[in-house]
Amino acid sequence: MKIRTRAVHAGHHPDRETGAHVVPIYSTSTFAYGSFARGERLFAGEEPGYIYGRIGNPTVRAFEEKLASLEGAEDAVAFASGMAAISALCNTLLAPGDEIVYLAPLYGGTEGYFLETLTRFGVRVTGGKSVEELPELISPATRLIYLETPTNPTLRIYDLEAVARIARARGVLSVVDNTFATPYLTRPLEHGIEVVLHSATKYLGGHGDCLAGVLAGPKELMEHIRAEGLRHIGAALGAFEAYLMLRGLKTLPLRMEAHCEGAARVAEYLSAHPAVQRVHYPGLSAHPGHEVAKRQMQGFGGLVSLELESKQAAALFLDSLKLFTQAVSLGDVESLATHPASTTHQLLPPEVRQAHGVSDALVRLSVGIEDPQDLIADLEQALDQVAKALLRSR
Ligand SMILES: *Cc1c(COP(=O)(O)O)cnc(C)c1O
């Protein structure tokens, strides 16, 4: 079935007991065995069933099934946040002496976890900047190739098929953080990638009302991660959050269409504005990743970054916005705006920030599903303030 149908129906079965049409919130920590013998069978793995909320819950399971269906994966495992999913994956698969090769830039939390936490446990972490470098970076100790596309905040595009080809040839597991694209725009597994993960906090939930994370991939690997990374670390998703995810995912295709349309209109508008020095959006033909994005994305996403003349101009622009809220995160129905250099990327050394393309004048927009005309009007009045200030200073 098509993705819009799967977004609504996958993982969705009327409740067997009550016939409830919508998946109920199973707010329970434990599950009755019913009998001594069944308890024994459940624990021996001879009978499927729920035992304890940290390892499985019916509402959470429905979310996992829906997400697996959307990504075209055999199975999925949900977590309390995106970082919980990433750390459960690594803690399950890596041992001292193993190596991760990643393609920069990564989400700040992921990079911090790799460089500060995993290295403390004897895992080697090596960063590359292009797919061409990968064959040289991979060593016999390499277990994972890890990347994001589009990347934060300059929306660099990596060619998933090229990465998957190299990873498979070298027997290394490829992992893609698909948070920015969502399965509606890109399904990395269809391009040969083996594991997909999400900060479901962002577009999957879509309403900015809860945190969640999820991994999707081969059944055996997901079972391994559920048995170890989920069970031992314990960052399980709550039933209420899973319910919000299920509710959000039903409209993912509709929301993504609106995000893409809004972002394309905003990017086009900003590109023509004299106060804007540069616009990063994979949908623009001048974007260096445009051709690859056209091939592997169904649309170009809801994020747009722009560069103004200076940090002061960026600050005035952000403070002048009325519809866009200044806040981190992305993928909400409401439009958000951030200044990465002073917030999410503040603690990075300036030369690392520069290498990531995060200048002091860069602003990142997460374009919501509001009417693009209203968003553009808001951007226009904020840019007018910037232009006026510039005139005054001359
Ligand atoms: C937000 C984010 C994460 C971390 O997810 P949390 O749900 O905040 O733990 C990981 N990767 C990307 C690309 C993100 O945007």
Side-chain angles (χ1 to χ4, degrees), residues 241-257:
E241 284 73 16
Y243 165 81
L244 291 175
M245 287 294 139
L246 284 167
R247 186 177 162 105
L249 277 178
K250 288 179 192 177
T251 57
L252 176 74
L254 308 183
R255 285 186 285 108
M256 290 316 294
E257 287 291 345

Side-chain angles (χ1 to χ4, degrees), residues 21-356:
H21 172 58
V22 168
V23 179
I25 302 170
Y26 286 91
S27 186
T28 182
S29 57
T30 195
F31 298 84
Y33 312 146
S35 72
F36 181 92
R38 186 165 177 269
E40 203 168 28
R41 287 200 301 276
L42 281 170
F43 272 76
E46 290 164 10
E47 185 179 324
Y50 296 99
I51 296 173
Y52 184 59
R54 173 154 38 75
I55 312 156
N57 168 291
T59 318
V60 175
R61 186 63 196 150
F63 165 51
E64 290 170 345
E65 285 176 7
K66 197 185 279 297
L67 196 277
S69 167
L70 293 177
E71 286 287 4
E74 284 176 15
D75 203 357
V77 188
F79 296 88
S81 70
M83 285 313 302
I86 295 162
S87 54
L89 170 85
C90 293
N91 289 28
T92 303
L93 297 182
L94 300 173
D98 287 347
E99 182 184 38
I100 295 185
V101 171
Y102 74 87
L103 288 174
L106 294 181
Y107 175 71
T110 307
E111 195 166 23
Y113 166 67
F114 284 180
L115 295 172
E116 288 154 29
T117 307
L118 284 181
T119 51
R120 212 153 25 80
F121 290 89
V123 172
R124 244 184 26 231
V125 179
T126 307
K129 287 194 242 13
S130 71
V131 179
E132 290 68 39
E133 282 173 68
L134 274 182
E136 269 171 59
L137 296 176
I138 296 169
S139 78
T142 308
R143 295 281 164 275
L144 298 182
I145 294 177
Y146 189 103
L147 67 149
E148 300 171 7
T149 182
T151 66
N152 183 37
T154 57
L155 308 169
R156 215 186 140 159
I157 303 291
Y158 280 114
D159 184 334
L160 293 174
E161 255 155 50
V163 172
R165 220 177 299 124
I166 296 165
R168 279 172 192 265
R170 302 289 291 271
V172 178
L173 192 78
S174 51
V175 180
V176 167
D177 180 335
N178 200 28
T179 301
F180 274 40
T182 82
Y184 184 66
L185 301 182
T186 305
R187 286 171 297 283
L189 304 189
E190 289 178 2
H191 300 279
I193 297 294
E194 286 170 283
V195 177
V196 174
L197 69 89
H198 285 275
S199 169
T201 309
K202 316 292 168 53
Y203 286 109
L204 300 190
H207 295 72
D209 47 12
C210 74
L211 297 173
V214 67
L215 295 171
K219 190 168 180 53
E220 207 174 312
L221 180 63
M222 292 303 113
E223 276 169 7
H224 183 193
I225 293 168
R226 184 186 301 281
E228 218 179 300
L230 179 62
R231 185 150 62 156
H232 293 173
I233 299 167
L237 184 65
F240 180 62
E241 284 73 16
Y243 165 81
L244 291 175
M245 287 294 139
L246 284 167
R247 186 177 162 105
L249 277 178
K250 288 179 192 177
T251 57
L252 176 74
L254 308 183
R255 285 186 285 108
M256 290 316 294
E257 287 291 345
H259 284 299
C260 289
E261 185 206 342
R265 295 264 303 272
V266 162
E268 205 177 299
Y269 166 76
L270 292 172
S271 300
H273 198 288
V276 178
Q277 314 235 312
R278 196 162 164 206
V279 180
H280 303 269
Y281 185 63
L284 296 172
S285 55
H287 187 282
H290 181 64
E291 289 306 314
V292 177
K294 263 205 303 203
R295 224 184 313 125
Q296 71 187 25
M297 300 182 81
Q298 181 109 330
F300 301 104
L303 286 139
V304 180
S305 292
L306 63 141
E307 287 175 46
L308 294 166
E309 199 185 72
S310 62
K311 180 178 178 177
Q312 289 70 22
L316 178 59
F317 172 69
L318 284 161
D319 281 340
S320 304
L321 289 170
K322 295 188 171 84
L323 262 181
F324 287 79
T325 302
Q326 283 191 68
V328 288
S329 201
L330 57 109
D332 295 359
V333 289
E334 294 90 358
S335 290
L336 303 172
T338 59
H339 181 251
S342 68
T343 60
T344 49
H345 293 62
Q346 191 196 118
L347 295 180
L348 291 177
E351 63 276 11
V352 178
R353 267 207 307 268
Q354 285 304 323
H356 289 184

